[in-house]
Amino acid sequence: MAQLTYRASVSLAIAQSMRKDQKVFFIGEDVGAAGGVFKATVGLLEEFGKERVMDAPISEQAILGAAMGAAMTGLRPIAEIMFSDFLAVCWDIVANQIAKTRYMSDGQINIPLVIRTANGGGSKFGAQHSQSLENWSMMIPGLKVVAPSCPSDVLGLMDSAVKDPDPVIFYEHKSLYAFKEEIEQTDISIPIGEANMLHEGKDITIIGLALMAQRAKEAALILKDKHDINAKVIDLRSLVPLDLQTIKKSVIETGHVLTVEENPRLCGWGAEISSLISEHCFKNLKGPVTRVTTPHVPLPSADILEDNTIPSVELIVNEVIKKLKGE
Amino acid sequence: MVDKLNDDIGEEKRLRLWEMMLKLRLVEKKAYDLFLQNLIKGTSHLALGQEAIAGAFGVALKQGDYTFCTYRGHAHTLARGSSIEGVLGELMGRQCGLMKGKGGSMHLTDVDKGVMGSYAIIGAHLTIANGTALASKYNKTNEVSVCFFGDGTTNIGAFHEALNMAKIWNLPIVFVCENNLYMEYTPIHEVTAVEHPAADRAGAYNLDKIIVDGNDADEMLRTAEKAISKAREGKGPSLIEAKTYRHSGHSRADPGKYRPDEEVKDWMENKDPIKNYRAKLLDFNINEKIISEIEEKIKDQVEKATEISMASPIPEIKEIYTDVWANGGSEWHN
């Protein structure tokens, strides 16, 4: 049994994949000699050398283009985009090229690559280094979208992402890098598309992702201890493929649903979940699906402003109480 | 005058190049005819007049090498040996098409022939071509990647990112700028800071400045072979600027009226790569009967492929839902 941070689990997950498969290489800005700006890739260059751990120039299009081209030949690149906000400068490669080439080529080309990126707020980095952009990639056919909430999920989902024959965008949450977990077995695999139940309960279903899943779990503990409310907490783990069956089963049991998203309100992934629930479970619902999101604003920087923009544990608790008790 | 004594190319290769260029020309002409008959929908970007560039590389490349081209890519695809009915069928949206109608004119792909796709967003494929080149280096194999693009591409960021990366990692790749003097409807010199849009940028990436007459098939072949050999020997990337001219407009919707009549006439009459190469073959004392036989053979191939394409069924509607994912389907939830 060892205690592992989310940060350390990233480098361990990459290392485990690279040890298992010579086809896996790693490319990104400051990922090798510097060990990553979040120190999530420390030690990889030392273990695997420059041929497999490549420090790239600040050229996000060239990085993802090279990863895509290599993947087209059967290699399995892991590419890092330092902050998910930077996906905007290489979105053509992601949304037009990586996502669509398999379809347009009538299945002639597979693109087995992983794009890792640091996502989400909490670091007071302001509006261009803090966004939660998982919904951007969710709306593009051809991309798989993963966002682990804990070190064991990083390990297990990275293993699956690297082995996956399709492109996977792997959103790591910046505010979870210091998150610790006792882990017995590190060489694990978790299938992409299976949600994880973080907390059991019969009164309400709270659906979250990444940091919001962890906050929902904290909220569930408070709700149970102080308010006698038993919440189920579903950590989606991936948006595409989506574990609709687990959502449906849970909604049938509880009849109340709250989604917790870090992205701004409009077209956030919770809207799609809400729509699916109304289509599939309308008769099981005891009330409307409630969406907790950041307001529809860019993220501000100052402590008090950012803290009051991103959904907090307290906000989740209050929203659940308001929903169930009308308070 | 031709130097027959010091002929470095030879009759066999010249005839292959002749046959290749002729095929590209006649298929493009057929594509245009089929458009006029409304048998090809959507848009199309013809490479009429630019055949010597794709043709020369088609002759110079080996099986296993990778090529990337743009939406103006019918010729580059055929030059790797893709079937005519595969190309025309795709343009017509038929099952015999290279991608069974799922990609269309701007996305021709034929992986078995090394045609790694035709790309319709300017600049992207330069970065992707670096990836196949990187794979060859990583795997220590000796394929060469070749990436064709137009003069307009030299003003987009991806061009510069790709050249820098290719150079710093010494990738086995050849970048080929087909400078047809117009960025869509705009003369390239009006929107570019340098005279030679690709070649004048080469120095910024520590690459040689290479300018070639892209309508001189022999010169094009020599330039292609040299750059390919350099890449294959591990000596790194090249950037070639080949001067050429579109005989037609930018796309189906463009009659090309922005170009002076005299200019068009000069390129069509005096600088047509096919017309000039035919004359050159005769200068090299190649029997005109052989030349004519090749012409008849290609005409016949194009007609037969057209018939096959027209007889080929249209795709089944269920194809909409195939091949989003590697499992063959399009499901995104369980």
Side-chain angles (χ1 to χ4, degrees):
Chain A
M1 185 88 90
Q3 201 176 53
L4 200 64
T5 61
Y6 189 97
R7 172 182 285 111
S9 70
V10 171
S11 57
L12 180 57
I14 296 170
Q16 287 179 163
S17 289
M18 291 181 70
R19 285 171 202 151
K20 278 183 266 189
D21 187 351
Q22 187 66 29
K23 289 195 173 88
V24 181
F25 69 86
F26 180 42
I27 177 173
E29 296 159 13
D30 285 332
V31 296
V37 293
F38 296 102
K39 298 296 168 203
T41 57
V42 169
L44 294 175
L45 176 68
E46 291 73 11
E47 180 174 352
F48 298 102
K50 279 186 169 181
E51 286 190 356
R52 296 184 70 192
V53 177
M54 305 174 196
D55 275 322
I58 299 177
S59 301
E60 280 83 8
Q61 292 184 82
I63 290 169
L64 292 192
M68 173 178 166
M72 288 163 84
T73 72
L75 293 178
R76 293 182 174 271
I78 302 171
E80 176 179 309
I81 296 298
M82 193 184 284
F83 286 79
S84 62
D85 315 69
F86 305 170
L87 284 168
V89 301
C90 50
W91 201 237
D92 169 47
I93 309 292
V94 178
N96 286 321
Q97 314 302 342
I98 289 172
K100 294 178 174 59
T101 290
R102 166 164 240 290
Y103 188 81
M104 293 196 301
S105 71
D106 190 43
Q108 291 182 59
I109 292 171
N110 280 334
I111 304 182
L113 65 78
V114 178
I115 300 172
R116 292 179 46 239
T117 189
N119 193 48
S123 304
K124 281 69 186 174
F125 288 159
Q128 296 176 346
H129 288 70
S130 308
Q131 296 175 83
S132 285
L133 299 178
E134 59 276 4
N135 57 322
W136 287 15
S137 40
M138 185 191 192
M139 61 181 80
I140 313 281
L143 300 176
K144 291 183 176 172
V145 185
V146 172
S149 72
C150 60
S152 55
D153 282 6
V154 168
L155 292 167
L157 291 168
M158 179 65 81
D159 184 76
S160 293
V162 172
K163 288 175 181 162
D164 201 287
D166 292 310
V168 177
I169 319 286
F170 198 90
Y171 288 95
E172 293 160 18
H173 203 293
K174 288 191 280 291
S175 290
L176 290 172
Y177 276 129
F179 187 97
K180 287 177 189 160
E181 187 183 349
E182 295 289 335
I183 291 182
E184 286 183 39
Q185 176 68 29
T186 62
D187 192 3
I188 54 172
S189 193
I190 297 170
I192 298 174
E194 286 187 10
N196 189 26
M197 200 63 77
L198 293 185
H199 194 268
E200 278 294 348
K202 60 180 179 13
D203 299 328
I204 186 167
T205 300
I206 308 177
I207 301 173
L209 187 75
L211 179 67
M212 293 301 106
Q214 291 299 346
R215 287 195 177 167
K217 183 182 171 183
E218 280 183 59
L221 295 172
I222 294 168
L223 288 164
K224 188 176 181 183
D225 285 353
K226 298 188 177 165
H227 304 282
D228 198 26
I229 291 172
N230 294 298
K232 270 189 206 300
V233 176
I234 297 176
D235 175 1
L236 290 175
R237 283 179 168 157
S238 65
L239 295 175
V240 183
L242 183 73
D243 188 355
L244 180 61
Q245 296 310 316
T246 294
I247 295 170
K248 276 163 67 176
K249 188 165 171 279
S250 177
V251 175
I252 289 166
E253 285 169 25
T254 65
H256 289 289
V257 189
L258 189 87
T259 62
V260 190
E261 302 157 69
E262 197 176 322
N263 45 242
R265 177 83 190 185
L266 298 189
C267 301
W269 55 259
E272 185 59 48
I273 305 285
S274 172
S275 159
L276 283 166
I277 290 170
S278 69
E279 269 180 53
H280 292 267
C281 313
F282 189 71
K283 288 176 184 167
N284 306 100
L285 286 173
K286 295 169 185 163
V289 175
T290 300
R291 286 180 64 205
V292 176
T293 70
T294 69
H296 206 65
V297 298
L299 275 178
S301 173
D303 277 352
I304 190 171
L305 297 180
E306 194 198 63
D307 290 346
N308 282 281
T309 305
I310 298 171
S312 61
V313 173
E314 190 186 10
L315 178 69
I316 299 166
V317 167
N318 291 341
E319 287 293 328
V320 169
I321 293 169
K322 197 161 74 183
K323 191 172 169 66
L324 296 186
K325 299 186 173 175
E327 288 169 13
Chain B
M1 287 300 291
V2 296
D3 183 359
K4 289 168 200 162
L5 291 175
N6 296 303
D7 182 16
D8 56 331
I9 294 176
E11 180 169 328
E12 184 271 332
K13 207 185 265 183
R14 274 214 177 78
L15 286 174
R16 271 200 289 143
L17 184 49
W18 165 246
E19 178 170 333
M20 177 79 81
M21 289 198 297
L22 202 61
K23 181 158 81 173
L24 310 189
R25 169 69 54 94
L26 294 182
V27 174
E28 286 288 55
K29 280 191 161 178
K30 178 59 76 176
Y32 186 69
D33 290 346
L34 293 169
F35 263 127
L36 295 181
Q37 295 170 50
N38 208 27
L39 287 167
I40 294 177
K41 308 286 173 60
T43 187
S44 175
H45 306 77
L46 303 178
L48 288 169
Q50 305 185 190
E51 296 89 348
I53 303 166
F57 273 91
V59 168
L61 285 167
K62 287 186 184 170
Q63 199 178 0
D65 289 336
Y66 300 109
T67 49
F68 293 75
C69 57
T70 69
Y71 52 87
R72 196 181 307 288
H74 310 162
H76 308 78
T77 302
L78 290 162
R80 297 305 311 280
S82 296
S83 73
I84 300 173
E85 60 267 27
V87 171
L88 287 179
E90 186 62 30
L91 269 56
M92 293 167 74
R94 304 296 173 111
Q95 282 191 25
C96 73
L98 287 174
M99 302 93 77
K100 302 199 196 82
K102 290 182 86 165
S105 162
M106 294 201 280
H107 299 292
L108 296 176
T109 305
D110 192 355
V111 171
D112 288 344
K113 303 288 185 191
V115 180
M116 302 305 282
S118 309
Y119 294 79
I121 310 288
I122 300 294
H125 67 309
L126 280 80
T127 71
I128 301 163
N130 272 343
T132 55
L134 180 64
S136 299
K137 196 180 171 195
Y138 186 88
N139 292 325
K140 299 185 170 58
T141 49
N142 67 355
E143 306 93 5
V144 171
S145 296
V146 175
C147 183
F148 302 96
F149 53 93
D151 43 277
T153 302
T154 63
N155 290 324
I156 204 164
F159 167 83
H160 299 271
E161 289 192 18
L163 287 178
N164 183 59
M165 187 173 275
K167 182 63 185 179
I168 59 169
W169 289 346
N170 197 43
L171 299 179
I173 187 164
V174 182
F175 295 103
V176 186
C177 174
E178 301 185 5
N179 180 2
N180 62 24
L181 314 185
Y182 289 83
M183 176 214 87
E184 298 206 5
Y185 300 16
T186 304
I188 190 66
H189 68 83
E190 287 184 11
V191 290
T192 307
V194 291
E195 184 186 357
H196 304 290
D200 285 346
R201 267 77 173 256
Y205 302 102
N206 201 11
L207 295 167
D208 293 337
K209 178 174 179 171
I210 303 172
I211 299 174
V212 59
D213 178 351
N215 283 15
D216 180 336
D218 277 354
E219 272 311 303
M220 203 55 236
L221 182 63
R222 290 187 187 102
T223 307
E225 285 181 338
K226 194 175 162 192
I228 290 167
S229 296
K230 181 183 169 189
R232 213 180 299 284
E233 288 161 13
K235 293 175 183 166
S238 299
L239 171 62
I240 296 166
E241 180 171 332
K243 287 272 166 47
T244 187
Y245 201 76
R246 274 191 259 118
H247 284 185
S248 50
H250 165 71
S251 65
R252 185 191 185 188
D254 170 29
K257 291 293 183 200
Y258 42 85
R259 306 187 301 187
D261 290 344
E262 280 306 306
E263 179 184 289
V264 177
K265 198 176 161 203
D266 182 39
W267 282 92
M268 299 276 282
E269 290 181 6
N270 304 320
K271 300 178 190 169
D272 180 352
I274 307 250
K275 194 171 148 189
N276 290 353
Y277 207 56
R278 195 181 197 283
K280 187 177 253 186
L281 294 179
L282 293 173
D283 283 349
F284 271 96
N285 290 334
I286 294 176
N287 190 332
E288 187 160 19
K289 189 162 167 274
I290 297 174
I291 299 170
S292 303
E293 277 170 8
I294 291 174
E295 286 169 346
E296 289 310 311
K297 184 175 89 176
I298 299 295
K299 275 182 196 163
D300 189 49
Q301 282 179 7
V302 173
E303 287 311 314
K304 283 201 174 114
T306 306
E307 283 169 28
I308 293 171
S309 301
M310 287 172 74
S312 177
I314 56 175
E316 294 187 51
I317 289 172
K318 68 181 182 190
E319 287 293 328
I320 293 169
Y321 303 100
T322 63
D323 280 315
V324 173
W325 310 113
N327 68 8
S330 62
E331 289 297 328
W332 54 273
H333 63 68
N334 61 6

